[in-house]
Amino acid sequence: MAGNGCAMPVETAATGPAVAHRRDRYGRAINYLRLSVTDRCNLRCRYCVPKGGVEWMARDHHLTDDEILRVVRAAAQWGLSKIRITGGE
């Protein structure tokens, strides 16, 4: 994967006012999801690790491939058009 994650376009049929009203604290439309696939990434960037750090989770608490697909599909149904997969760079 690239250093900043990989942008993966997601096809979606979801449209409507609920999608248009998702905004961040700066008023920008939210149309993507950043999904970290591991807490053991060696880069420790701000997207994955807060300033105080995190305790690593047991691997059996990580999402499975099927669970990740479920999250991505749900995001597409909510109208998100891009998924950024990060972690493990």
Side-chain angles (χ1 to χ4, degrees), residues 9-47:
V10 177
E11 290 184 24
T12 178
T15 57
V19 173
H21 293 292
R22 288 197 182 98
R23 304 265 175 201
D24 67 10
R25 64 183 173 174
Y26 301 106
R28 298 174 296 200
I30 298 172
N31 65 347
Y32 74 93
L33 169 69
R34 184 176 300 274
L35 182 65
S36 180
V37 295
T38 181
D39 59 345
R40 298 171 195 264
C41 175
N42 60 338
L43 295 180
R44 315 304 282 169
C45 66
R46 64 185 171 135
Y47 296 114

